[in-house]
Amino acid sequence: GENVEQHPSTLSVQEGDSAVIKCTYSDSASNYFPWYKQELGKRPQLIIDIRSNVGEKKDQRIAVTLNKTAKHFSLHITETQPEDSAVYFCAASIRLVGGGSNYKLTFGKGTLLTVNP
Amino acid sequence: EPEVTQTPSHQVTQMGQEVILRCVPISNHLYFYWYRQILGQKVEFLVSFYNNEISEKSEIFDDQFSVERPDGSNFTLKIRSTKLEDSAMYFCASTRGAGQGSYNEQFFGPGTRLTVL
């Protein structure tokens, strides 16, 4: 089955610096790659996603890149702020039987990002 | 904004007991999922449910587990005879579903922390 590796497990940056989190996946059939942010004690929330037919996507200070050939994708956060501190999870997904939007997410282990003021 | 809700937030049970974890997905969503996260480990896919049947389950989802959508709003996960290793955070998620070829965000609930003693 799919395996997703995520690095680093912890990342500490100064406010205003950039943060980069990297993930690799194993199954070339994976075609959708969401990133979730989870603040302490709260639910995971989608912050950005990318589909396999796109190489890069940006939303304000957050960007994601995908290299299908190398099977890796990365999250980039620029101008980090203390409120960016959280655990970030990458995921790769494969569409399931039933079509439509039925797919299962395989998650990385998460990266604890700390932004120091 | 509508949210997935889960009850209880924390469940403590004795080994061998049955537990039922409850979820209320977002009302117009079509696809439903359970994931679990053992402390310090990855979020892992357990099962997906669509059109009143399981569409995919992981190897974790053995005969001790079952899911049900007993009415139009609730989605439950039952563990018949809990083991110590079932202790984890269990997340319910749902997706809107919008036809072939579409990708839609999986919205997560806040989780139920299950502790098996």
Side-chain angles (χ1 to χ4, degrees), chain A residues 32 93-96 101-105, chain B residues 33 104-106:
Chain A
Y32 173 60
S93 69
I94 297 174
R95 191 183 299 281
L96 299 174
S101 295
N102 193 19
Y103 50 91
K104 73 173 183 182
L105 302 178
Chain B
Y33 308 87
N104 288 288
E105 175 181 354
Q106 286 191 18

Side-chain angles (χ1 to χ4, degrees), chain A residues 15-67:
Chain A
E15 183 176 0
D17 287 351
S18 294
V20 180
I21 302 170
K22 298 183 179 183
C23 289
T24 59
Y25 62 99
S26 60
D27 193 336
S28 56
S30 289
N31 52 14
Y32 173 60
F33 307 90
W35 286 86
Y36 283 82
K37 175 183 179 183
Q38 186 177 29
E39 296 175 19
L40 190 62
K42 296 190 177 179
R43 71 192 72 204
Q45 293 198 298
L46 182 75
I47 55 171
I48 196 166
D49 55 15
I50 191 166
R51 295 153 198 190
S52 59
N53 59 349
V54 175
E56 185 173 355
K57 182 176 177 182
K58 190 172 180 182
D59 183 3
Q60 299 182 348
R61 297 186 296 109
I62 295 173
V64 59
T65 58
L66 170 67
N67 182 327

Side-chain angles (χ1 to χ4, degrees), chain A residues 64-77:
Chain A
V64 59
T65 58
L66 170 67
N67 182 327
K68 281 196 321 182
T69 304
K71 298 197 192 74
H72 66 71
F73 56 115
S74 301
L75 177 72
H76 304 252
I77 306 174

